[in-house]
Coordinates of all heavy atoms in Angstrom, one line a residue:
M1 N 0.8 -1.2 0.0 CA 0.0 0.0 0.0 C 0.9 1.2 0.0 O 1.9 1.3 0.7 CB -0.9 0.0 1.2 CG -1.7 1.2 1.3 SD -3.1 1.2 2.5 CE -2.2 1.5 4.0
L2 N 0.5 2.2 -0.8 CA 1.3 3.5 -1.0 C 0.8 4.5 0.0 O -0.4 4.7 0.2 CB 1.1 4.0 -2.4 CG 2.0 5.2 -2.8 CD1 3.5 4.8 -2.6 CD2 1.7 5.6 -4.2
T3 N 1.7 5.1 0.8 CA 1.3 6.1 1.8 C 2.0 7.4 1.4 O 3.1 7.4 0.9 CB 1.8 5.6 3.2 OG1 1.3 4.3 3.5 CG2 1.3 6.6 4.2
G4 N 1.3 8.5 1.7 CA 1.9 9.8 1.4 C 2.1 10.6 2.7 O 1.3 10.5 3.6
I5 N 3.1 11.3 2.8 CA 3.4 12.3 3.9 C 3.7 13.6 3.2 O 4.5 13.7 2.3 CB 4.6 11.8 4.7 CG1 4.3 10.4 5.3 CG2 5.0 12.8 5.8 CD1 5.5 9.8 6.0
K6 N 3.1 14.6 3.7 CA 3.3 16.0 3.2 C 3.9 16.8 4.3 O 3.4 16.9 5.4 CB 2.0 16.6 2.7 CG 2.1 18.0 2.1 CD 0.8 18.5 1.6 CE 1.0 19.9 1.0 NZ -0.2 20.4 0.5
Q7 N 5.1 17.4 4.0 CA 5.7 18.3 4.9 C 6.3 19.5 4.2 O 6.7 19.3 3.0 CB 6.9 17.6 5.6 CG 6.6 16.7 6.8 CD 7.8 16.2 7.5 OE1 8.9 16.8 7.4 NE2 7.7 15.1 8.2
K8 N 6.5 20.6 4.9 CA 7.2 21.7 4.3 C 8.6 21.6 4.9 O 8.8 21.3 6.0 CB 6.6 23.0 4.7 CG 5.3 23.3 3.9 CD 4.9 24.7 3.9 CE 3.6 24.8 3.1 NZ 3.6 26.0 2.3
A9 N 9.6 22.0 4.0 CA 11.0 22.0 4.4 C 11.7 23.1 3.7 O 11.2 23.6 2.7 CB 11.6 20.6 4.1
I10 N 12.8 23.5 4.3 CA 13.6 24.5 3.7 C 14.9 23.9 3.3 O 15.5 23.1 4.0 CB 13.9 25.7 4.7 CG1 12.6 26.3 5.1 CG2 14.9 26.7 4.2 CD1 12.7 27.3 6.2
V11 N 15.3 24.2 2.1 CA 16.6 23.7 1.5 C 17.7 24.3 2.3 O 17.8 25.5 2.5 CB 16.7 24.0 0.0 CG1 18.1 23.5 -0.5 CG2 15.6 23.5 -0.8
G12 N 18.5 23.5 2.9 CA 19.7 23.9 3.7 C 21.0 24.0 2.9 O 21.0 24.0 1.7
K13 N 22.0 24.1 3.6 CA 23.4 24.3 3.1 C 23.7 23.1 2.1 O 23.3 21.9 2.4 CB 24.4 24.3 4.2 CG 25.8 24.6 3.7 CD 26.7 24.8 4.9 CE 28.1 25.1 4.4 NZ 29.1 25.2 5.5
D14 N 24.3 23.4 1.0 CA 24.6 22.4 0.0 C 23.4 21.6 -0.5 O 23.5 20.5 -1.0 CB 25.6 21.3 0.6 CG 26.9 22.0 1.1 OD1 27.4 22.9 0.4 OD2 27.5 21.5 2.1
G15 N 22.2 22.3 -0.5 CA 21.1 21.7 -1.1 C 20.4 20.6 -0.3 O 19.5 19.9 -0.8
K16 N 20.8 20.4 0.9 CA 20.2 19.4 1.7 C 18.8 19.7 2.2 O 18.5 20.8 2.6 CB 21.1 19.1 3.0 CG 22.4 18.5 2.6 CD 23.2 18.1 3.8 CE 24.6 17.5 3.4 NZ 25.4 17.1 4.6
I17 N 17.9 18.7 2.2 CA 16.6 18.9 2.7 C 16.4 17.8 3.8 O 16.6 16.7 3.6 CB 15.5 18.6 1.6 CG1 15.7 19.7 0.5 CG2 14.1 18.7 2.1 CD1 14.9 19.4 -0.8
E18 N 16.0 18.3 5.0 CA 15.8 17.4 6.1 C 14.3 17.3 6.4 O 13.6 18.3 6.4 CB 16.5 17.9 7.3 CG 18.0 17.8 7.3 CD 18.7 18.1 8.6 OE1 18.1 17.9 9.7 OE2 19.8 18.6 8.6
L19 N 13.8 16.1 6.5 CA 12.5 15.9 6.9 C 12.5 15.2 8.3 O 13.2 14.3 8.5 CB 11.8 14.9 5.9 CG 11.7 15.4 4.5 CD1 11.1 14.4 3.6 CD2 10.9 16.7 4.4
S20 N 11.7 15.7 9.2 CA 11.6 15.1 10.5 C 10.3 14.4 10.7 O 9.3 15.1 10.8 CB 11.8 16.2 11.6 OG 10.8 17.2 11.4
N21 N 10.3 13.1 10.6 CA 9.1 12.3 10.7 C 9.4 11.0 11.4 O 10.1 10.2 10.8 CB 8.5 12.1 9.3 CG 7.1 11.5 9.4 OD1 6.9 10.6 10.2 ND2 6.2 11.9 8.5
T22 N 8.9 10.9 12.5 CA 9.2 9.7 13.3 C 8.4 8.5 12.9 O 8.6 7.4 13.3 CB 8.9 9.9 14.8 OG1 7.6 10.3 15.0 CG2 9.9 11.0 15.4
E23 N 7.4 8.7 11.9 CA 6.6 7.5 11.5 C 7.4 6.6 10.6 O 7.0 5.5 10.3 CB 5.4 8.1 10.7 CG 4.5 8.9 11.5 CD 3.4 9.5 10.6 OE1 3.1 9.0 9.5 OE2 2.9 10.6 11.0
L24 N 8.5 7.1 10.0 CA 9.3 6.3 9.1 C 10.5 5.6 9.8 O 11.4 6.3 10.3 CB 9.8 7.1 8.0 CG 8.8 7.8 7.1 CD1 9.5 8.7 6.1 CD2 8.0 6.7 6.3
P25 N 10.5 4.3 9.9 CA 11.6 3.7 10.6 C 12.9 3.7 9.7 O 12.8 3.8 8.5 CB 11.2 2.2 10.7 CG 10.0 2.0 9.8 CD 9.5 3.4 9.5
A26 N 14.0 3.7 10.3 CA 15.3 3.8 9.6 C 15.3 2.6 8.6 O 14.9 1.5 8.9 CB 16.5 3.6 10.6
G27 N 15.9 2.9 7.4 CA 16.0 1.9 6.4 C 14.8 1.8 5.5 O 14.8 1.1 4.5
T28 N 13.7 2.6 5.7 CA 12.5 2.6 4.9 C 12.9 3.2 3.5 O 13.5 4.2 3.4 CB 11.4 3.4 5.5 OG1 11.1 2.8 6.8 CG2 10.2 3.4 4.6
V29 N 12.5 2.5 2.4 CA 12.8 3.1 1.1 C 11.7 4.0 0.7 O 10.5 3.7 0.9 CB 12.9 1.9 0.1 CG1 13.1 2.5 -1.3 CG2 14.0 1.0 0.4
V30 N 12.0 5.2 0.3 CA 11.0 6.2 0.0 C 11.3 6.8 -1.4 O 12.5 6.8 -1.9 CB 11.0 7.4 1.0 CG1 10.6 6.9 2.4 CG2 12.3 8.1 1.1
E31 N 10.3 7.3 -2.1 CA 10.5 8.0 -3.3 C 10.1 9.5 -3.0 O 9.1 9.7 -2.4 CB 9.6 7.5 -4.4 CG 9.8 8.1 -5.7 CD 8.9 7.4 -6.8 OE1 8.5 6.2 -6.6 OE2 8.7 8.0 -7.8
V32 N 10.9 10.4 -3.5 CA 10.8 11.8 -3.1 C 10.4 12.6 -4.3 O 11.0 12.5 -5.4 CB 12.0 12.4 -2.5 CG1 11.9 13.9 -2.1 CG2 12.5 11.6 -1.2
I33 N 9.3 13.4 -4.2 CA 8.9 14.4 -5.2 C 9.0 15.7 -4.6 O 8.4 16.0 -3.5 CB 7.5 14.1 -5.7 CG1 7.4 12.7 -6.4 CG2 7.1 15.2 -6.7 CD1 6.0 12.3 -6.7
I34 N 9.7 16.7 -5.2 CA 9.8 18.0 -4.6 C 9.0 19.0 -5.4 O 9.2 19.1 -6.6 CB 11.3 18.4 -4.6 CG1 12.1 17.5 -3.8 CG2 11.5 19.9 -4.1 CD1 13.6 17.7 -3.8
L35 N 8.1 19.7 -4.8 CA 7.3 20.8 -5.4 C 7.8 22.1 -4.8 O 7.8 22.3 -3.6 CB 5.8 20.6 -5.0 CG 5.2 19.2 -5.4 CD1 3.8 19.1 -4.9 CD2 5.2 19.1 -6.9
V36 N 8.3 23.0 -5.7 CA 8.9 24.2 -5.3 C 7.9 25.3 -5.3 O 7.2 25.5 -6.3 CB 10.1 24.6 -6.2 CG1 10.7 25.9 -5.7 CG2 11.1 23.5 -6.2
E37 N 7.7 26.0 -4.1 CA 6.7 27.1 -4.0 C 7.3 28.3 -4.7 O 8.5 28.6 -4.5 CB 6.4 27.4 -2.6 CG 5.6 26.3 -1.9 CD 5.2 26.8 -0.5 OE1 5.6 27.9 0.0 OE2 4.6 25.9 0.2
P38 N 6.5 29.0 -5.5 CA 7.0 30.3 -6.1 C 7.4 31.3 -5.0 O 6.7 31.3 -3.9 CB 5.9 30.7 -7.0 CG 4.7 30.1 -6.4 CD 5.1 28.8 -5.7
P39 N 8.4 32.1 -5.2 CA 8.7 33.1 -4.2 C 7.6 34.1 -4.0 O 6.9 34.4 -5.0 CB 10.0 33.8 -4.8 CG 10.0 33.5 -6.2 CD 9.2 32.2 -6.4
I40 N 7.4 34.5 -2.8 CA 6.3 35.5 -2.5 C 6.9 36.9 -2.9 O 7.9 37.3 -2.4 CB 5.9 35.5 -1.1 CG1 5.4 34.1 -0.7 CG2 4.9 36.5 -0.7 CD1 5.1 33.8 0.7
E41 N 6.2 37.6 -3.8 CA 6.6 38.9 -4.2 C 6.1 39.9 -3.2 O 5.0 39.9 -2.8 CB 6.1 39.3 -5.6 CG 6.7 38.4 -6.7 CD 6.2 38.9 -8.0 OE1 5.9 40.1 -8.2 OE2 6.2 38.0 -8.9
E42 N 7.0 40.8 -2.7 CA 6.6 41.8 -1.8 C 6.0 43.0 -2.6 O 6.5 43.3 -3.7 CB 7.9 42.4 -1.1 CG 8.5 41.5 -0.1 CD 9.6 42.2 0.6 OE1 10.3 42.9 0.0 OE2 9.8 41.9 1.8
D43 N 5.0 43.6 -2.0 CA 4.5 44.8 -2.6 C 5.4 45.9 -2.2 O 6.3 45.8 -1.3 CB 3.0 45.1 -2.3 CG 2.8 45.4 -0.8 OD1 3.8 45.5 0.0 OD2 1.7 45.5 -0.4
E44 N 5.3 47.0 -2.9 CA 6.2 48.1 -2.8 C 6.2 48.7 -1.4 O 7.2 49.1 -0.8 CB 5.9 49.2 -3.8 CG 6.9 50.3 -3.9 CD 6.7 51.3 -5.1 OE1 5.9 50.9 -5.9 OE2 7.3 52.3 -5.0
T45 N 5.0 48.8 -0.8 CA 4.8 49.4 0.6 C 5.6 48.5 1.6 O 6.3 49.0 2.4 CB 3.4 49.5 0.9 OG1 2.7 50.3 -0.1 CG2 3.2 50.2 2.3
T46 N 5.4 47.2 1.5 CA 6.1 46.3 2.4 C 7.6 46.5 2.3 O 8.3 46.5 3.3 CB 5.7 44.8 2.1 OG1 4.3 44.7 2.2 CG2 6.4 43.9 3.1
Y47 N 8.1 46.6 1.1 CA 9.5 46.8 0.9 C 10.0 48.1 1.5 O 11.0 48.1 2.2 CB 9.8 46.8 -0.6 CG 11.2 47.2 -1.0 CD1 12.3 46.3 -0.8 CD2 11.5 48.4 -1.4 CE1 13.6 46.6 -1.1 CE2 12.8 48.8 -1.7 CZ 13.9 47.9 -1.6 OH 15.2 48.3 -1.8
L48 N 9.3 49.2 1.3 CA 9.7 50.5 1.8 C 9.6 50.5 3.3 O 10.3 51.2 4.0 CB 8.8 51.6 1.2 CG 9.0 51.8 -0.3 CD1 8.0 52.8 -0.9 CD2 10.5 52.3 -0.6
L49 N 8.6 49.8 3.9 CA 8.5 49.8 5.4 C 9.6 49.1 6.1 O 9.7 49.2 7.3 CB 7.1 49.2 5.8 CG 5.9 50.1 5.5 CD1 4.6 49.4 5.8 CD2 6.0 51.4 6.2
K50 N 10.5 48.3 5.4 CA 11.6 47.6 6.0 C 12.6 48.6 6.6 O 13.2 48.3 7.6 CB 12.2 46.7 5.0 CG 11.4 45.4 4.7 CD 12.2 44.5 3.8 CE 11.5 43.3 3.6 NZ 12.2 42.4 2.7
S51 N 12.8 49.7 6.0 CA 13.7 50.7 6.5 C 13.0 51.6 7.5 O 12.0 52.1 7.2 CB 14.3 51.5 5.3 OG 14.7 52.8 5.7
E52 N 13.7 51.8 8.6 CA 13.1 52.7 9.7 C 12.9 54.1 9.1 O 11.9 54.7 9.4 CB 13.9 52.6 10.9 CG 13.6 51.4 11.8 CD 12.2 51.3 12.2 OE1 11.6 52.3 12.7 OE2 11.7 50.2 12.2
A53 N 13.8 54.6 8.4 CA 13.7 56.0 7.9 C 12.6 56.1 6.9 O 11.7 57.0 7.0 CB 15.0 56.4 7.2
N54 N 12.4 55.1 6.0 CA 11.3 55.1 5.0 C 10.0 55.0 5.8 O 9.0 55.6 5.4 CB 11.4 54.0 4.0 CG 12.4 54.3 2.9 OD1 12.8 55.4 2.7 ND2 12.8 53.3 2.2
K55 N 10.0 54.1 6.7 CA 8.7 53.8 7.5 C 8.3 55.1 8.2 O 7.1 55.5 8.1 CB 9.0 52.8 8.6 CG 7.8 52.4 9.4 CD 8.2 51.2 10.3 CE 7.0 50.8 11.1 NZ 7.3 49.6 12.0
K56 N 9.2 55.9 8.8 CA 8.9 57.1 9.4 C 8.3 58.1 8.4 O 7.3 58.8 8.7 CB 10.2 57.7 10.1 CG 10.0 58.9 10.9 CD 11.3 59.3 11.6 CE 11.1 60.6 12.4 NZ 12.4 61.0 13.0
H57 N 8.9 58.2 7.2 CA 8.4 59.2 6.2 C 7.1 58.8 5.7 O 6.2 59.6 5.5 CB 9.4 59.3 5.1 CG 10.7 60.0 5.4 ND1 10.7 61.3 5.7 CD2 12.0 59.6 5.5 CE1 12.0 61.7 6.0 NE2 12.8 60.6 5.9
L58 N 6.9 57.5 5.5 CA 5.6 57.0 4.9 C 4.5 57.2 5.9 O 3.4 57.7 5.6 CB 5.7 55.5 4.6 CG 6.4 55.2 3.3 CD1 6.6 53.7 3.1 CD2 5.7 55.7 2.1
L59 N 4.7 56.9 7.2 CA 3.7 57.1 8.2 C 3.4 58.6 8.4 O 2.2 58.9 8.6 CB 4.2 56.5 9.6 CG 4.3 55.0 9.5 CD1 4.8 54.5 10.9 CD2 2.9 54.3 9.3
K60 N 4.4 59.5 8.3 CA 4.1 60.9 8.4 C 3.3 61.4 7.2 O 2.4 62.2 7.3 CB 5.5 61.7 8.4 CG 5.3 63.2 8.6 CD 4.6 63.6 9.9 CE 4.5 65.1 10.0 NZ 3.6 65.5 11.1
A61 N 3.6 60.8 6.0 CA 2.9 61.2 4.8 C 1.4 60.7 4.9 O 0.5 61.5 4.5 CB 3.5 60.6 3.6
M62 N 1.2 59.5 5.4 CA -0.2 59.0 5.6 C -0.9 59.9 6.6 O -2.1 60.2 6.4 CB -0.1 57.6 6.1 CG 0.3 56.6 5.0 SD 0.7 54.9 5.5 CE -0.8 54.4 6.3
E63 N -0.3 60.3 7.6 CA -0.9 61.2 8.6 C -1.3 62.5 8.0 O -2.4 63.0 8.2 CB 0.1 61.4 9.8 CG -0.4 62.3 10.9 CD 0.7 62.4 12.0 OE1 1.3 61.4 12.4 OE2 0.9 63.6 12.4
N64 N -0.4 63.1 7.1 CA -0.7 64.3 6.4 C -1.9 64.2 5.5 O -2.8 65.1 5.5 CB 0.5 64.8 5.6 CG 1.6 65.5 6.5 OD1 1.2 66.1 7.5 ND2 2.8 65.3 6.1
V65 N -2.0 63.1 4.8 CA -3.1 62.8 3.9 C -4.4 62.8 4.8 O -5.4 63.4 4.4 CB -2.9 61.5 3.1 CG1 -4.2 61.1 2.4 CG2 -1.8 61.7 2.1
E66 N -4.4 62.0 5.9 CA -5.6 61.9 6.7 C -6.0 63.2 7.3 O -7.2 63.5 7.5 CB -5.3 60.9 7.9 CG -5.2 59.5 7.4 CD -4.8 58.5 8.5 OE1 -4.5 59.0 9.6 OE2 -4.6 57.3 8.2
Q67 N -5.1 64.1 7.5 CA -5.4 65.4 8.1 C -5.7 66.5 7.0 O -6.0 67.6 7.3 CB -4.2 66.0 9.0 CG -4.0 65.1 10.2 CD -2.8 65.6 11.0 OE1 -2.1 66.5 10.6 NE2 -2.6 64.9 12.1
G68 N -5.6 66.1 5.8 CA -5.9 67.0 4.7 C -4.7 68.0 4.4 O -4.9 68.9 3.7
N69 N -3.6 67.7 4.9 CA -2.4 68.5 4.6 C -1.8 68.1 3.3 O -0.8 67.4 3.2 CB -1.3 68.4 5.7 CG -1.9 68.8 7.1 OD1 -2.8 69.7 7.2 ND2 -1.3 68.3 8.1
L70 N -2.4 68.6 2.2 CA -1.9 68.2 0.9 C -1.5 69.4 0.1 O -2.0 70.5 0.3 CB -3.1 67.5 0.2 CG -3.6 66.3 0.9 CD1 -4.9 65.8 0.1 CD2 -2.6 65.2 0.9
I71 N -0.6 69.2 -0.9 CA -0.2 70.3 -1.8 C -0.6 69.7 -3.2 O -0.1 68.6 -3.6 CB 1.3 70.6 -1.7 CG1 1.6 71.1 -0.3 CG2 1.7 71.6 -2.8 CD1 3.1 71.3 -0.1
Y72 N -1.4 70.5 -4.0 CA -1.7 70.0 -5.3 C -0.8 70.7 -6.3 O -0.6 71.9 -6.2 CB -3.2 70.4 -5.6 CG -4.2 69.6 -4.7 CD1 -4.6 70.1 -3.6 CD2 -4.5 68.3 -5.1 CE1 -5.5 69.3 -2.8 CE2 -5.4 67.6 -4.3 CZ -5.9 68.1 -3.2 OH -6.7 67.3 -2.4
V73 N -0.3 70.0 -7.2 CA 0.6 70.5 -8.3 C 0.0 70.1 -9.6 O -0.3 69.0 -9.9 CB 2.0 69.9 -8.1 CG1 2.9 70.4 -9.2 CG2 2.6 70.2 -6.8
D74 N -0.2 71.1 -10.4 CA -0.6 70.9 -11.8 C 0.6 70.6 -12.6 O 1.4 71.6 -12.9 CB -1.4 72.1 -12.3 CG -1.9 71.9 -13.7 OD1 -1.3 71.2 -14.5 OD2 -2.9 72.6 -14.1
L75 N 0.9 69.4 -13.0 CA 2.1 69.0 -13.7 C 2.3 69.7 -15.0 O 3.4 70.0 -15.4 CB 2.2 67.5 -13.8 CG 2.3 66.7 -12.5 CD1 2.3 65.2 -12.8 CD2 3.5 67.2 -11.7
D76 N 1.2 69.9 -15.7 CA 1.2 70.6 -17.0 C 1.8 72.1 -16.8 O 2.7 72.5 -17.5 CB -0.1 70.7 -17.7 CG -0.6 69.3 -18.2 OD1 0.3 68.5 -18.5 OD2 -1.8 69.0 -18.2
E77 N 1.2 72.7 -15.8 CA 1.6 74.1 -15.5 C 3.0 74.1 -15.0 O 3.8 75.0 -15.4 CB 0.7 74.7 -14.4 CG 1.0 76.1 -14.1 CD 0.0 76.7 -13.0 OE1 -1.2 76.3 -13.0 OE2 0.5 77.4 -12.1
Y78 N 3.4 73.2 -14.2 CA 4.8 73.1 -13.7 C 5.8 72.9 -14.8 O 6.8 73.5 -14.9 CB 4.9 71.9 -12.7 CG 6.3 71.7 -12.2 CD1 6.8 72.5 -11.2 CD2 7.1 70.6 -12.7 CE1 8.1 72.3 -10.7 CE2 8.4 70.4 -12.2 CZ 8.9 71.2 -11.2 OH 10.1 71.0 -10.8
G79 N 5.4 72.0 -15.8 CA 6.3 71.8 -16.9 C 6.4 73.0 -17.8 O 7.5 73.3 -18.3
E80 N 5.3 73.7 -18.0 CA 5.4 75.0 -18.8 C 6.3 76.0 -18.1 O 7.1 76.7 -18.8 CB 4.0 75.5 -19.0 CG 3.1 74.7 -19.9 CD 1.7 75.2 -19.9 OE1 1.4 76.4 -19.4 OE2 0.8 74.5 -20.4
R81 N 6.2 76.1 -16.8 CA 7.1 77.1 -16.1 C 8.5 76.7 -16.3 O 9.4 77.6 -16.5 CB 6.7 77.1 -14.6 CG 5.4 77.8 -14.3 CD 5.3 77.9 -12.8 NE 3.9 78.3 -12.5 CZ 3.5 78.4 -11.3 NH1 4.2 78.0 -10.2 NH2 2.3 78.8 -11.0
K82 N 8.8 75.4 -16.2 CA 10.2 75.0 -16.3 C 10.7 75.3 -17.7 O 11.9 75.7 -17.9 CB 10.3 73.5 -16.0 CG 10.3 73.1 -14.6 CD 11.6 73.5 -13.9 CE 11.7 72.8 -12.6 NZ 12.9 73.3 -11.9
I83 N 9.9 75.1 -18.7 CA 10.3 75.3 -20.1 C 10.6 76.8 -20.3 O 11.6 77.2 -20.9 CB 9.3 74.8 -21.1 CG1 9.3 73.3 -21.1 CG2 9.5 75.3 -22.5 CD1 8.1 72.6 -21.8
K84 N 9.6 77.7 -19.8 CA 9.8 79.1 -20.0 C 11.0 79.6 -19.3 O 11.8 80.4 -19.8 CB 8.6 79.8 -19.4 CG 7.3 79.7 -20.3 CD 6.1 80.4 -19.7 CE 4.9 80.1 -20.5 NZ 3.7 80.7 -19.9
K85 N 11.3 79.1 -18.1 CA 12.5 79.5 -17.3 C 13.8 79.1 -18.1 O 14.7 79.8 -18.2 CB 12.5 78.8 -15.9 CG 13.5 79.3 -15.0 CD 13.3 78.6 -13.6 CE 14.3 79.2 -12.6 NZ 14.2 78.6 -11.3
F86 N 13.7 77.9 -18.6 CA 14.9 77.4 -19.4 C 15.1 78.3 -20.6 O 16.2 78.6 -21.0 CB 14.6 75.9 -19.8 CG 15.7 75.4 -20.7 CD1 16.9 75.0 -20.2 CD2 15.5 75.3 -22.1 CE1 17.9 74.5 -21.1 CE2 16.5 74.8 -23.0 CZ 17.7 74.4 -22.4
L87 N 14.0 78.6 -21.3 CA 14.1 79.4 -22.5 C 14.7 80.9 -22.2 O 15.4 81.4 -23.0 CB 12.8 79.5 -23.3 CG 12.3 78.2 -23.9 CD1 10.9 78.4 -24.5 CD2 13.3 77.7 -25.0
R88 N 14.3 81.4 -21.1 CA 14.8 82.7 -20.7 C 16.3 82.7 -20.4 O 17.0 83.6 -20.7 CB 14.1 83.2 -19.4 CG 12.7 83.8 -19.7 CD 12.2 84.4 -18.4 NE 11.9 83.3 -17.5 CZ 10.9 83.2 -16.7 NH1 10.0 84.2 -16.7 NH2 10.7 82.2 -15.9
K89 N 16.8 81.6 -19.9 CA 18.2 81.5 -19.6 C 19.0 81.3 -20.9 O 20.2 81.6 -21.0 CB 18.5 80.3 -18.7 CG 18.1 80.5 -17.3 CD 18.4 79.3 -16.5 CE 18.0 79.5 -15.0 NZ 18.4 78.4 -14.2
S90 N 18.4 80.8 -22.0 CA 19.1 80.5 -23.2 C 19.4 81.7 -24.0 O 18.9 82.7 -24.0 CB 18.3 79.6 -24.1 OG 18.0 78.4 -23.4

């Protein structure tokens, strides 16, 4: 009779995988199939929160948004000003 055991393991040094299961007596012949889990992708916020400095800035920014402390910038107008300023210098 075929029996299955499912365990999670982490690949160790030199590619070794250790399974700790006392149900298998020493000398038992086993066939191993390895299913690799895809890496979990971090979202940008999680990545940025890892740094204490970034975390502090992000939390302050969120606080400003909640309090309505916002500055609106019209990017088209900003771009036009930069172009005009550049042309005056030329």
Side-chain angles (χ1 to χ4, degrees):
M1 177 168 78
L2 188 60
T3 306
I5 297 171
K6 182 178 178 180
Q7 275 188 25
K8 288 200 179 221
I10 297 175
V11 178
K13 188 176 180 184
D14 299 324
K16 291 184 181 180
I17 299 173
E18 289 188 29
L19 301 175
S20 56
N21 189 317
T22 56
E23 298 173 27
L24 298 172
T28 302
V29 177
V30 298
E31 185 175 338
V32 178
I33 298 173
I34 298 173
L35 304 173
V36 180
E37 290 185 0
I40 299 171
E41 292 185 29
E42 287 184 326
D43 66 6
E44 191 172 343
T45 304
T46 303
Y47 172 77
L48 292 173
L49 288 174
K50 285 183 177 180
S51 157
E52 278 302 314
N54 282 345
K55 184 176 182 178
K56 186 177 178 180
H57 289 293
L58 285 171
L59 293 175
K60 182 63 179 168
M62 290 169 55
E63 184 180 309
N64 282 328
V65 169
E66 288 172 1
Q67 294 175 356
N69 300 332
L70 304 172
I71 298 173
Y72 293 94
V73 177
D74 182 331
L75 295 178
D76 291 330
E77 183 181 320
Y78 177 79
E80 287 173 15
R81 285 186 190 174
K82 284 287 196 185
I83 292 169
K84 287 177 184 176
K85 189 175 183 180
F86 174 77
L87 291 174
R88 279 187 293 220
K89 287 183 179 181
S90 300

